[in-house]
Amino acid sequence: MIHKDLNRRLLWSHCLSKKMRGRDAPVRVADACCGIQSQDIRESLSSFWARVDGFSDTDVVSELKPGGSLVRTWAVRSTMHTIPSKDYYIYILGGASERMLKWIDTRAKKRNYPPREERRRLLYEPILDEINGKAVTAKEIRSFMDGKARQLGLREGVWSGLGDMAFSGLLVHAGKRGPNSLWMCSDDWIPRPKTPPDRQTCRVELLRKYIARHGPVSKEDLMYWAYLSKRQLDEALNNIASDLVEVKMKNSREPYIALDQNIEQELPPPPEAIVLPKYDSLMLSLKDKSRFMDMGYYKRIFPKIPVGMVKPTVLLEGCVAATWRRVAKKKAASIEVQPFKKSQPTTRRPLRSNSRTTANTADSRPL
């Protein structure tokens, strides 16, 4: 396959070539992108804005509730994602959690806290019973934890258990109370199945979803996104080997992987201009980002300082051509675009048009 085809497939899969419509559009977008990633809910809403026709914040917020169709939690790449509630266990058990929990186990041992199963039985289950049906802050969880630690003769003030419980599928993000993030028992948000699926089953399904949406992809892309070890990846891929096809790529020693479905499907070109917020899922979906950007501009989008920053971008004809920032004014807001090179006459119109739309939209989420 050639670069143009890969670019079109990726942008189409990410709902950037044609926006989603309908009441369930946010859920379909979250599914299509394999989760909308961002620690900040405002940036997540901006990513939905870029992909849903006629978007309003309430389209997402109304589904982020107990029993709703969306949930926010730490998932793949060990960062906060907005994902379909129906796939909660696939993302939690199939992605980064196992590696993260092993790291947490090491930290617990250094603090003389008990092994994982004992932590769950002695510390977490009593706390979950105490907060059952309620949304609580991280500070409140730490207070409960210190009380339990005191009873067990463990050191106080060194262990909140928040990440441990979230990556174990026990807690989900539940919005905010003022500046403080709230957390809730996952069972109060999503009914727990009688028999939760095992990690291997979830990992296979997670990779199937990712390959279907992003393929053809390399194994490096898969490990980067799902934060899996090579052993974990190979074991999971063996389970779906009969459904996979290998695709030869120029300048790659190893073939890429795709699902044997519509691999030769012709897709329409992307819009002339696309405005994306900070930390957009497109920017973090592949290790090889050359599908949508000139790698010579990599540091302009992913600077070393501050660590983890992903700048807001403007795509022209499917490729990153600029970054942008908000310019606050007394009566209105606008965006200032920093192009990587002088815009050609044919690209100035869509750039200005998208900038005005972004600045003047009531929701103004990309700002």
Side-chain angles (χ1 to χ4, degrees):
M1 296 187 73
I2 61 176
H3 184 273
K4 182 180 71 173
D5 294 329
L6 289 174
N7 179 268
R8 287 189 178 187
R9 286 179 64 83
L10 182 63
L11 295 177
W12 176 265
S13 292
H14 269 252
C15 310
L16 293 171
S17 296
K18 182 179 180 181
K19 292 188 175 184
M20 291 285 190
R21 296 183 178 182
R23 291 184 61 183
D24 64 342
V27 179
R28 287 186 287 131
V29 164
D31 181 53
C33 297
C34 293
I36 292 294
Q37 178 175 330
S38 183
Q39 296 295 118
D40 190 328
I41 182 63
R42 293 171 296 180
E43 302 300 341
S44 294
L45 293 173
S46 298
S47 290
F48 280 106
W49 172 90
R51 294 166 169 85
V52 176
D53 191 29
F55 177 73
S56 171
D57 289 357
T58 56
D59 296 340
V60 169
V61 175
S62 63
E63 294 297 335
L64 284 171
K65 63 183 180 181
S69 298
L70 293 171
V71 60
R72 279 173 59 77
T73 190
W74 288 319
V76 291
R77 303 194 79 252
S78 69
T79 58
M80 188 68 70
H81 280 65
T82 303
I83 57 177
S85 297
K86 64 181 178 61
D87 294 329
Y88 172 72
Y89 289 104
I90 291 174
Y91 281 87
I92 287 296
L93 300 180
S97 64
E98 186 172 357
R99 293 184 72 177
M100 293 302 298
L101 289 172
K102 287 181 179 178
W103 176 73
I104 290 171
D105 287 343
T106 300
R107 294 183 64 199
K109 187 175 181 179
K110 289 181 178 179
R111 289 162 173 75
N112 293 318
Y113 269 64
R116 189 185 308 174
E117 289 304 316
E118 288 187 43
R119 292 198 303 273
R120 178 166 181 159
R121 177 172 55 84
L122 298 174
L123 295 169
Y124 304 152
E125 289 181 357
I127 291 174
L128 294 173
D129 288 340
E130 198 160 351
I131 67 173
N132 183 39
K134 298 182 290 186
V136 295
T137 65
K139 185 177 180 179
E140 290 172 311
I141 290 175
R142 181 177 286 277
S143 177
F144 292 137
M145 185 64 65
D146 284 346
K148 296 300 177 185
R150 191 181 310 119
Q151 294 175 7
L152 296 171
L154 300 172
R155 185 180 171 190
E156 297 177 46
V158 298
W159 196 260
S160 72
L162 183 59
D164 204 357
M165 286 189 278
F167 282 115
S168 296
L170 303 176
L171 286 179
V172 298
H173 193 269
K176 285 201 167 187
R177 182 190 300 156
N180 299 309
S181 292
L182 296 173
W183 298 86
M184 179 177 280
C185 299
S186 58
D187 287 355
D188 292 332
W189 196 284
I190 305 158
R192 179 178 290 271
K194 292 182 179 179
T195 305
D198 63 86
R199 286 189 180 276
Q200 184 65 7
T201 300
C202 290
R203 188 171 296 138
V204 168
E205 186 57 31
L206 184 66
L207 293 183
R208 187 191 296 276
K209 284 178 175 291
Y210 177 82
I211 296 170
R213 293 298 185 178
H214 298 85
V217 291
S218 66
K219 287 188 176 182
E220 287 75 17
D221 290 327
L222 286 160
M223 287 190 289
Y224 165 84
W225 179 77
Y227 196 50
L228 299 176
S229 67
K230 186 178 184 304
R231 179 187 59 79
Q232 291 172 333
L233 176 64
D234 288 342
E235 287 178 354
L237 290 178
N238 284 338
N239 281 273
I240 54 174
S242 60
D243 297 329
L244 300 177
V245 294
E246 293 186 344
V247 181
K248 292 184 178 180
M249 304 298 299
K250 187 177 180 181
N251 300 326
S252 176
R253 292 182 179 180
E254 294 188 7
Y256 278 33
I257 301 168
L259 285 174
D260 190 10
Q261 297 175 5
N262 303 320
I263 191 66
E264 299 299 334
Q265 178 186 8
E266 289 191 17
L267 297 170
E272 288 182 277
I274 300 171
V275 180
L276 297 177
K278 292 189 293 184
Y279 308 105
D280 187 78
S281 295
L282 178 71
M283 299 294 119
L284 296 162
S285 60
L286 298 164
K287 183 175 184 179
D288 177 12
K289 305 182 191 304
S290 64
R291 290 197 197 183
F292 52 82
M293 63 180 284
D294 181 334
M295 296 303 286
Y297 301 122
Y298 182 88
K299 293 181 180 179
R300 300 275 295 269
I301 304 166
F302 302 90
K304 290 185 177 180
I305 301 174
V307 176
M309 167 59 72
V310 183
K311 289 192 174 182
T313 56
V314 178
L315 278 63
L316 292 180
E317 297 180 346
C319 291
V320 180
T323 58
W324 61 268
R325 68 183 183 91
R326 181 181 184 181
V327 179
K329 298 181 179 180
K330 289 184 179 180
K331 295 184 179 180
S334 62
I335 65 173
E336 179 180 282
V337 176
Q338 295 98 32
F340 295 157
K341 56 185 178 180
K342 188 175 181 180
S343 299
Q344 298 298 317
T346 55
T347 63
R348 288 175 184 162
R349 178 185 54 78
L351 244 173
R352 289 200 299 267
S353 174
N354 273 270
S355 298
R356 284 198 298 271
T357 301
T358 303
N360 296 327
T361 299
D363 271 307
S364 282
R365 270 302 157 197
L367 303 182

